[in-house]
Amino acid sequence: MSFFQNKNLRVVSVLGLSFAFFAAVLPNVKAQDVVTITGVGSSFAAPLYQNWAASAVKDINIKVNYQPLGSSAGKNQIIAKTVNFGALDMPTSIEQLTQENLVQFPTAIGGVAVVVNVPGVKEGQLRLTGDIIADIYAGKITKWNDPRIVAINSGVTLPATGIAAVYRADGSGTTQVFTSYLSKESANWKKAYGSNTSIAWAVGMGGRGNGAVASMVKNIQGGIGYVEYAYALQNHLNTAQLKNVAGNFVAISEDSIKAAAKAADWIHAKNYSVDLIDTKGADSWPIVSTTYVLVHAENKTSQEVTKFFRWGFEHGDAIATQLHYIPLPVVVKEKIEKTWEYAGVAGKEAKAK
């Protein structure tokens, strides 16, 4: 039964996790005054939620325990009501939102970087295309000096090193975004593998979470992987240029992610579901995604969750920018506030209608 069908429904969620991912220091706050909320899901969004949580606790007395177990875990655990919010990097269908009485809202926009470890190749020097990456992950291109890679990298000496493809072993929204990109770029990939949070990879090895993939690529000569941009920077990884739909090779950066984000049609998007892959624009990065949060409608603890994210929207843009995420436009934040009010999760500080 959805909140659209029964506005009187009340569900009290149970805090089922004790693992504290974020250790917050509370010098001026009595322990009994602090409310703890738990979340599970996207490792893509973990750096942002970690930093928001560390700063927000002293202002709103809410401590956030968050486990970056992947988007699939985020959806499954919020549906099972073992956490207060689920975080994922792909939108949930209106049918499932209604069936599970869930409310969905975006929190930030980020880019997925293709990271490589190719001997002798400098940072940002390597050029790749979507169809070449698809054939690497399909096992059709196995050496870094393959003629198709050499052809688009004039002036770069590419070694005969074997390519070690790294993918996410857990159910991952980042994988959904990456394989959606490959499906748009390669008809063969779309037919053989498609896009999902987890797929039957043809070759390679898996790591759990963005952090594990970043670490594996960094330590495996010949490696290639895909991670959220902040992980590429934090781990000092070599990022590849990609050819966008305008035909230009672009490097991943805040500017190229912003250029792609401009294409989002938030006004007409149902439940904030926007597609930011392969957007138009001469400078657009082709693999960009919105990250989302799910909470239960008409739920008291969900009001504490929205209180935390309201703090992030009002005070956390600078933190988001420092971490290389793109903050949501003001018009989207205003729309989210109305969504919370309608769903009965806006909390004590809800704005007057």
Side-chain angles (χ1 to χ4, degrees):
M1 182 179 295
S2 76
F3 69 87
F4 298 103
Q5 298 165 318
N6 183 358
K7 292 284 285 181
N8 296 318
L9 179 64
R10 294 289 186 273
V11 180
V12 178
S13 64
V14 177
L15 306 185
L17 296 177
S18 59
F19 176 79
F21 182 72
F22 303 130
V25 179
L26 312 174
N28 301 316
V29 180
K30 294 180 180 178
Q32 61 268 32
D33 295 332
V34 177
V35 174
T36 298
I37 58 175
T38 56
V40 162
S42 165
S43 62
F44 181 100
L48 179 62
Y49 300 163
Q50 176 182 10
N51 281 271
W52 276 0
S55 297
V57 64
K58 61 182 181 298
D59 291 341
I60 56 176
N61 294 358
I62 293 177
K63 181 180 177 182
V64 181
N65 289 343
Y66 183 74
Q67 294 188 74
L69 301 181
S71 295
S72 294
K75 181 183 285 188
N76 292 338
Q77 293 205 27
I78 188 63
I79 289 174
K81 300 177 181 175
T82 56
V83 292
N84 304 123
F85 70 92
L88 49 162
D89 302 323
M90 65 288 189
T92 299
S93 69
I94 182 64
E95 291 80 11
Q96 191 165 29
L97 292 173
T98 301
Q99 180 181 347
E100 303 295 341
N101 200 31
L102 294 170
V103 182
Q104 171 176 270
F105 58 90
T107 56
I109 298 167
V112 175
V114 174
V115 293
V116 297
N117 180 351
V118 186
V121 175
K122 297 177 182 177
E123 160 61 26
Q125 191 178 27
L126 186 70
R127 291 180 165 189
L128 293 173
T129 62
D131 61 325
I132 286 177
I133 298 170
D135 281 351
I136 287 174
Y137 276 89
K140 298 177 180 176
I141 295 177
T142 60
K143 299 285 187 181
W144 279 112
N145 65 347
D146 183 277
R148 289 171 62 191
I149 303 177
V150 171
I152 58 173
N153 283 279
S154 176
V156 180
T157 302
L158 291 165
T161 304
I163 300 177
V166 181
Y167 55 80
R168 287 283 293 274
D170 51 330
S172 160
T174 310
T175 295
Q176 169 101 44
V177 173
F178 181 66
T179 54
S180 295
Y181 165 69
L182 298 184
S183 293
K184 280 194 174 184
E185 292 284 318
S186 167
N188 290 334
W189 178 274
K190 183 177 181 179
K191 183 179 180 181
Y193 305 100
S195 60
N196 210 331
T197 55
S198 180
I199 68 167
W201 298 94
V203 295
M205 61 199 85
R208 293 189 172 276
N210 274 282
V213 171
S215 178
M216 291 171 71
V217 172
K218 187 173 184 177
N219 290 297
I220 299 174
Q221 194 173 81
I224 181 172
Y226 55 94
V227 296
E228 197 277 328
Y229 183 39
Y231 287 87
L233 292 174
Q234 290 168 5
N235 289 279
H236 307 290
L237 295 175
N238 191 343
T239 59
Q241 297 180 48
L242 296 184
K243 190 176 183 179
N244 64 19
V245 292
N248 300 324
F249 283 97
V250 294
I252 187 168
S253 68
E254 290 91 340
D255 288 341
S256 62
I257 297 171
K258 280 181 183 176
K262 286 179 181 176
D265 183 6
W266 294 105
I267 301 301
H268 299 98
K270 294 183 178 178
N271 292 295
Y272 306 99
S273 178
V274 294
D275 183 0
L276 295 175
I277 295 172
D278 273 348
T279 58
K280 295 179 180 178
D283 302 317
S284 293
W285 181 249
I287 320 177
V288 174
S289 174
T290 302
T291 191
Y292 297 88
V293 161
L294 294 175
V295 296
H296 285 280
E298 297 285 1
N299 180 291
K300 269 193 171 180
T301 308
S302 294
Q303 295 176 6
E304 301 296 341
V305 175
T306 59
K307 186 177 179 181
F308 166 68
F309 282 103
R310 182 183 293 113
W311 183 96
F313 294 156
E314 292 178 351
H315 306 285
D317 281 1
I319 294 174
T321 301
Q322 288 171 2
L323 293 169
H324 313 287
Y325 296 91
I326 307 301
L328 297 176
V330 172
V331 64
V332 180
K333 294 177 181 177
E334 292 173 348
K335 186 177 177 181
I336 291 170
E337 192 70 48
K338 291 178 181 176
T339 298
W340 289 345
E341 291 173 19
Y342 182 70
V345 296
K348 303 170 188 175
E349 299 176 0
K351 296 177 181 177
K353 295 181 180 178

